[in-house]
Amino acid sequence: MLQLALTIIIFLLIVIPVGRYMYHIATWKHTLADPVFDRLDGVIYKIGGVDPHKGMNWKQYALALVGTNAVMVLIGYLILRIQSIGAFNPNGIGNMEPTLAFNTIISFMTNTNLQHYSGESGLSYLSQMLVIIFMMFVSAASGYAACVAFIRGLAGKTKDDVGNFFADLVRITTRILLPFSIVGGMLLVWQGVPQNFAGNVIVETIEGTFQIIAMGPIAALEIIKHLGTNGGGFLGANSTTPLENPTIISNLIELYSMMLLPGACVITFGKMVRDRKRQKSEDEDETDDEHKKSGGAGVSVSGGSKPAPRLNERTGLTAAIYGREGRSIFAAMGIIFLIGLSVCFWSESNGNPALAEIGLSQSMGSMEGKEVRFGIAQSALFTTVTTSFTTGTVNNMHDTLTPLGGMVPLLHMMLNCVFGGKGVGLMNMIMYVMLGVFLCGLMIGRTPEYLGKKVEGREMKMAVLVLIIHPLLILGFSALAVGTEAGRAGITNPGFHGLSQVLYEYSSSAANNGSGFEGLADNTYFWNITAGLAMFFGRYLAIVLQLAIAWSLLCKKRMNESIGTLKTNNIGFGVIVAFVVYIFAALTFFPALALGPIAEHLSIWLPV
């Protein structure tokens, strides 16, 4: 318990300054490193022919994002299909099969990193660098760029654009992902994670057998896979292996790397919304000053030089209140996260009675599939973090979790809003916020408002569509899998656990998470294609619709607050949003969960 508490407290201490730094990057405010990064960015803009100050509307932004990703998908697919060439291929890895290459490139471009292969035997070093590591940077930057554009629309900083995608992509990569990755990668190398281009090493063990030790640029992949909430792994066993995650310190580095940027996005959101309210209040103060000077007569302040804005007591108070918008969302995410962590930790600590019956001690909890160097606490925390922040990396095998312990990561991927990854978690949570505002508005008989804008039929239809697409992908593809021979052929466990495996595969795909129960025989035409489609639609349909919602609110006239305005900037509203999320999950996913992990739990603890 102390381990868990200290880890979370340290996260809260470091996420706030990182959120402020991301806010400066998103709003083009000054940072100490600007003299270096401005030159670097300028070279990139010049080579790419990009005007960083040319704004885009939501359609142009979405088209630029999807188009750029599509080009990279094509190039990456070709590399995977010809990776057997001699360059950076000391282990002689062959070309990837077409459907597996399709699944892999979609997986890494959508920031899912679902792996139907083992990295040490399925990819050359060339593919690991030019496809996997490169895509981890670009896909993460694309998600954060979409989030920044979404926040600009909600904050209403401009009237005609949500930013420039190419400029956001470059700035997020050069000023956030690259420097953080360099520092984090060096820390992992310090802890013993390999970083080289040597071929695999064959060693003789003390038992007299031979073992292959993987080599390669492992540290470079490890840091960006966590920092960009990518997931996957250089090795098939992922961060359970000492090569990817050798010590408790490396485990903490990877944990904080996963949690840092998604949590910081919420801080950035609160500060950007506060800025818009401060600007509005300053303009009102200036108008009031001119009105008083003219003796009450109407005076236009649109022409001539305007006096320097002053931040009076009312302006500062209003800005501070709107800055709390991020706190209420952070509270809602935190409540759901802590509940899930508590359930997972409790379930794994209680062990498995079926194993106890055959004489295996459960005094340490359920240690099946876990590393002794991490234990129950860090395994439960890593499990909850990687599926709450939609990273997908694992330091224990999720297929061996107790039924309720395994239900937590499954449920959090189904929710896809508990911090989430790449900024997408914040965007999804805003959809639940709008739903909560709408429901509360119906109860008090007022038109729903959020951030001073009316939430009307058009916005609610798109928000509900975003929320429905996710369960439709999960449950629809799961039904197809259990209803077809090709799908059932991949299920290796009978009964309740087999259904949980299927639900987990498509939840991980649709949520762009990438972790798996690893019990499925999923490297087949059926699973490669259907999981690839779930990843594609789960990523891009939601982002496009969310940008459209932000633009719709951006174009609306801002309303003045009144005594009847629903306050969305306090902890109470955060609790309401958490309840809305759980109610939505119960209505959509409870029947499937009841037939999977819940039924399996009852069969173990209450056998007939």
Side-chain angles (χ1 to χ4, degrees), residues 351-365:
N352 188 332
L355 295 179
E357 288 179 4
I358 62 175
L360 296 178
S361 173
Q362 299 293 289
S363 60
M364 294 177 61

Side-chain angles (χ1 to χ4, degrees), residues 87-170:
F88 294 101
N89 191 15
N91 301 315
I93 306 296
N95 296 330
M96 190 172 277
E97 183 269 329
T99 62
L100 181 57
F102 164 79
N103 180 277
T104 300
I105 196 62
I106 292 296
S107 176
F108 282 87
M109 191 66 259
T110 58
N111 206 255
T112 310
N113 301 62
L114 184 74
Q115 293 176 290
H116 287 178
Y117 62 91
S118 291
E120 64 268 42
S121 61
L123 292 176
S124 67
Y125 294 170
L126 181 71
S127 294
Q128 293 277 23
M129 293 185 294
L130 292 187
V131 178
I132 305 306
I133 296 178
F134 174 76
M135 291 291 187
M136 285 180 173
F137 276 98
V138 176
S139 62
S142 296
Y144 285 123
C147 181
V148 168
F150 180 75
I151 297 173
R152 290 189 187 117
L154 295 182
K157 289 285 289 182
T158 60
K159 293 296 183 183
D160 55 353
D161 69 80
V162 292
N164 184 298
F165 169 74
F166 301 110
D168 289 337
L169 184 73
V170 170

Side-chain angles (χ1 to χ4, degrees), residues 137-221:
F137 276 98
V138 176
S139 62
S142 296
Y144 285 123
C147 181
V148 168
F150 180 75
I151 297 173
R152 290 189 187 117
L154 295 182
K157 289 285 289 182
T158 60
K159 293 296 183 183
D160 55 353
D161 69 80
V162 292
N164 184 298
F165 169 74
F166 301 110
D168 289 337
L169 184 73
V170 170
R171 287 173 61 84
I172 290 168
T173 302
T174 60
R175 298 165 190 255
I176 299 175
L177 296 179
L178 272 174
F180 281 46
S181 294
I182 291 172
V183 174
M186 294 297 291
L187 291 174
L188 289 179
V189 171
W190 165 55
Q191 285 300 298
V193 179
Q195 176 67 23
N196 55 54
F197 295 106
N200 293 344
V201 177
I202 300 177
V203 298
E204 184 176 1
T205 66
I206 57 176
E207 290 89 358
T209 60
F210 292 91
Q211 181 177 350
I212 298 176
I213 306 297
M215 293 287 114
I218 299 178
L221 186 147

Side-chain angles (χ1 to χ4, degrees), residues 56-58 153 159-162 547-555:
M56 298 178 175
N57 60 35
W58 79 269
K159 293 296 183 183
D160 55 353
D161 69 80
V162 292
L547 288 176
I549 292 172
W551 180 262
S552 179
L553 292 175
L554 175 64
C555 296

